[in-house]
Amino acid sequence: MQTGGTTIGRIAMARPDKAAAVAELTDRFRESNAAVLTEYRGLTVAQLKRLRKALGGNATYAVVKNTLTAIAAKEAGLTGLDDALKGPSAIAFVTGDPVEAAKGLRDFAKANPALVIKGGVLDGRALTAAEVTKLADLESREVLLAKAAGAMKAKLYQAAYVFTANTAQAARVIDALRQKQESEGAAA
């Protein structure tokens, strides 16, 4: 349509329900520590229910539309997810320990080969499926913290031993000299 030398075209308007879905996905991306994208084709409703239960309070699992997810990811400042957003997709939004969620998804995928891990995002950086698997192979945050604390405790004990070793050795030498002088004084 032309009016006064200018062309007026149809302006695309988003439907309110789609705009709300994009806003919700954007918020979920921003609020979560990590997100793991999966393909769920071939899983039954009962299997998806078990997966959600396996993730527990650590993550929420939602089936998503790829185009809306791509828009939400861009709005949240995430890049590199476009390749993973092909085929039927679902996302595990991780609010707890990302290692625990990745382990839960990996273990469920081993038991149910229909679940395919396609990739993810951790701290704003896109991850490949292989990187998500590597993340799942890590020990949990609590175990790593316990190991670090144990290593620090061992170093402190080692340092304390080094600091007291010379003092203890000097005390033994002084005691030996004292005993020698006493024995020489008694003999004379």
Side-chain angles (χ1 to χ4, degrees), residues 12-34:
M13 298 281 262
R15 291 191 353 218
D17 57 335
K18 288 185 179 182
V22 168
E24 181 185 347
L25 286 170
T26 303
D27 289 342
R28 282 183 158 188
F29 275 122
R30 287 183 179 147
E31 293 168 357
S32 48
N33 304 339

Side-chain angles (χ1 to χ4, degrees), residues 169-183:
Q169 186 178 10
R172 285 191 297 272
V173 168
I174 291 170
D175 190 45
L177 286 172
R178 183 186 53 78
Q179 286 177 358
K180 182 177 178 186
Q181 285 179 345
E182 286 176 1
S183 65

Side-chain angles (χ1 to χ4, degrees), residues 68-101:
L68 300 180
T69 303
I71 294 168
K74 281 184 184 151
E75 285 184 11
L78 304 174
T79 57
L81 296 178
D82 294 337
D83 292 339
L85 291 171
K86 291 182 173 70
S89 298
I91 302 178
F93 292 100
V94 183
T95 53
D97 186 7
V99 173
E100 290 296 320

Side-chain angles (χ1 to χ4, degrees), residues 120-134:
V121 63
L122 176 66
D123 294 330
R125 189 178 82 77
L127 301 174
T128 63
E131 290 172 325
V132 172
T133 304
K134 284 182 185 177

Side-chain angles (χ1 to χ4, degrees), residues 32-46:
S32 48
N33 304 339
V36 179
L37 281 81
T38 64
E39 182 176 319
Y40 64 93
R41 186 183 320 187
L43 291 176
T44 65
V45 173

